[in-house]
Amino acid sequence: MAIRRPRRTEAPPTAGLPPRWGDLWPFAPRQGSLERRAAAFIGADEVQAECSGTAALVVALTTLHRLSGRRVVVVPAYTCPLVAIAVAHCGLELRLCDLAPGSIDFDAQALARACDRDVLALVPTHLGGRVADVAAAVALAHAAGAFVIEDAAQAFGARRGRVSVGLDGDAGFFSLAVGKGLTTYEGGLLVSADASLRRELRRTSREIVPWRPAWELRRSFELLAYHACYRPSLLRFAYGAPLRRALRRGDPVAAVGDDFPLRIPLHTLGRWRRNVGARAFARWPAFVAEGALRARRRHARLAAIGDIDVLGDAGDANGTWPFFIVRMPDEATRDRVLARLWGEGRGVSRLFIHALPDYAYLRDVVAPADVPNARRFAATTLTISNSPWLADADFEAVCSVIELVLQERPGGT
Ligand SMILES: *Cc1c(COP(=O)(O)O)cnc(C)c1O
């Protein structure tokens, strides 16, 4: 069943909003700015645009540190390496908290142990569009005089009840990077439900984020190139070819783009790119809704496969669906599925390769830690794209490979 020949079309690993040339029109959109449209979409009074999700986190951490003087930031042991890099950038101290088994949430006991009087902020993270338990983090944090920053980089549009993620904590941020949905190539949105904290966040941004034309020029060209290449017929060159090269040399960190630079560029998000984002916004709410419908069908198909776990929403959570996170029974089985499907153009990939302490290039940023659940999550999960460009037949082929590999397992049914 291995399909070693690259396919003519290539599904991206996440559901990015297909760009349109009309988005690039240089003048201000009549329908309102990116910030206003984003605020209306999530039901906030206002949002603050930054040059990346990481930059938004840096602005939030810098602000809260100025307000409280504390230095420890508690983050999930399995999250985007950029989060650890942002904490180091701010000169703050990283403290990892293990996940609950098989979950994106903090382990409750580990979090209670981690949350002492030195803690500046807890960072619950809505990975892969799933809605994390923010209420538990808020209760612990506020009892200890700490803040909560929701990392909603991968969850723009996710809600609990009618309230958008990002607004239950003290502050929250979304990413507008390539691959996270609506994109300005790089970009981020910073939110807070607290008007006085919002003033402080804006003040920090004015103080530490300069206008840097060279960066803006670079990002503008990157956004143009993205518009040219983000289509099924070209993704096999723009995305698939470098992916397959990285896999051939046995470098999974490069394959998923986990190899981030240790320096975080801080600059304002330029007006043209904000206008491009504002125009793309016209299609975003419908895209999120269609993605949720497609995900409901496909989630049911995946869930019907025994012996695996597909992360979903519980209670009143209503997440977004950039991709499915699938937990396999063990690492060997996961790797057998990947051997057949990763790099085959059918949207199968991995999220972050390692728990944070296990990235060699982060050794000056992340101290060793005993985080078995995060390690197991990294070792046993794979992702399946929820891109509209992943055809039903290709999705079905992915399901068949998973079923076959499970059957071939010693003792498999
Ligand atoms: C992508 C990501 C970030 C950083 O966002 P950028 O816009 O890429 O800087 C932070 N946290 C998580 C969980 C992410 O996936």
Side-chain angles (χ1 to χ4, degrees):
M1 183 85 205
I3 323 128
R4 273 291 152 215
R5 185 170 43 87
R7 297 152 48 75
R8 286 181 48 79
T9 62
E10 177 114 24
T14 67
L17 177 71
R20 291 209 186 143
W21 290 115
D23 296 344
L24 304 179
W25 187 248
F27 306 109
R30 233 176 303 129
Q31 312 88 325
S33 68
L34 172 64
E35 292 93 323
R36 288 181 73 140
R37 296 194 78 144
F41 175 64
I42 64 168
D45 293 334
E46 53 188 353
V47 311
Q48 182 172 324
E50 297 291 346
C51 67
S52 67
T54 311
L57 176 58
V58 165
V59 169
L61 289 171
T62 305
T63 304
L64 298 177
H65 175 63
R66 185 175 70 228
L67 294 175
S68 92
R70 295 187 184 186
R71 298 193 56 247
V72 173
V73 183
V74 179
V75 314
Y78 183 77
T79 188
C80 181
L82 285 168
V83 172
I85 296 170
V87 172
H89 172 101
C90 296
L92 299 171
E93 187 185 319
L94 189 72
R95 185 177 289 171
L96 300 184
C97 180
D98 203 2
L99 304 179
S103 165
I104 62 159
D105 281 316
F106 287 122
D107 179 81
Q109 282 168 10
L111 189 63
R113 278 196 304 276
C115 192
D116 61 25
R117 298 263 149 197
D118 298 327
V119 169
L120 171 64
L122 308 180
V123 187
T125 302
H126 305 285
L127 271 192
R130 308 282 46 79
V131 179
D133 183 356
V134 176
V138 166
L140 270 174
H142 289 183
F147 296 100
V148 168
I149 303 173
E150 286 179 64
D151 180 343
Q154 300 186 358
F156 189 37
R159 289 165 213 272
R160 180 173 301 282
R162 303 180 61 171
V163 180
S164 166
V165 297
L167 297 171
D168 284 327
D170 297 287
F173 67 96
F174 305 95
S175 169
L176 303 181
V178 167
K180 310 252 171 135
L182 177 104
T183 188
T184 49
Y185 197 80
E186 292 277 7
L189 299 172
L190 179 58
V191 298
S192 170
D194 177 341
S196 63
L197 181 55
R198 281 207 303 275
R199 261 194 310 279
E200 297 297 325
L201 294 169
R202 277 199 304 274
R203 181 182 144 198
T204 306
S205 191
R206 278 195 305 274
E207 285 175 4
I208 69 170
V209 181
W211 160 242
R212 293 170 71 182
W215 271 106
E216 190 56 34
L217 193 65
R218 171 174 165 178
R219 294 295 187 229
S220 299
F221 276 111
E222 286 169 333
L223 182 58
L224 278 172
Y226 166 81
H227 269 249
C229 296
Y230 197 80
R231 48 198 76 235
S233 56
L234 294 183
L235 273 172
R236 73 188 146 122
F237 305 110
Y239 163 71
L243 163 66
R244 286 182 275 276
R245 268 200 305 279
L247 290 177
R248 271 198 299 275
R249 49 168 211 274
D251 186 350
V253 171
V256 299
D258 267 358
D259 45 354
F260 296 101
L262 293 175
R263 289 180 60 95
I264 300 168
L266 281 185
H267 55 99
T268 52
L269 179 61
R271 186 179 318 156
W272 177 65
R273 286 197 295 139
R274 276 186 282 135
N275 287 346
V276 173
R279 282 211 175 70
F281 228 109
R283 307 185 300 281
W284 178 244
F287 182 80
V288 171
E290 279 161 29
L293 281 178
R294 187 171 49 250
R296 192 182 305 172
R297 255 190 306 124
R298 292 187 176 179
H299 187 279
R301 170 69 178 94
L302 286 166
I305 304 176
D307 293 341
I308 65 172
D309 177 39
V310 195
L311 269 61
D313 292 332
D316 58 352
N318 230 317
T320 54
W321 296 92
F323 47 80
F324 301 97
I325 302 176
V326 179
R327 230 159 35 84
M328 303 297 295
D330 52 69
E331 183 171 12
T333 309
R334 193 277 309 263
D335 287 346
R336 276 198 292 278
V337 172
L338 288 177
R340 299 190 191 197
L341 289 173
W342 201 2
E344 300 302 335
R346 287 185 158 98
V348 170
S349 184
R350 287 172 66 179
L351 192 47
F352 312 116
I353 297 301
H354 298 300
L356 285 179
D358 300 334
Y359 289 95
Y361 83 100
L362 289 182
R363 68 186 163 269
D364 294 335
V365 172
V366 183
D370 181 27
V371 287
N373 296 336
R375 289 197 164 107
R376 186 166 166 74
F377 197 87
T380 58
T381 51
L382 56 84
T383 58
I384 305 172
S385 177
N386 189 40
S387 166
W389 295 339
L390 181 69
D392 281 336
D394 284 324
F395 176 75
E396 190 49 42
V398 169
C399 294
S400 305
V401 169
I402 294 174
E403 286 170 333
L404 196 70
V405 168
L406 286 167
Q407 279 163 19
E408 286 168 0
R409 230 169 7 135
T413 45

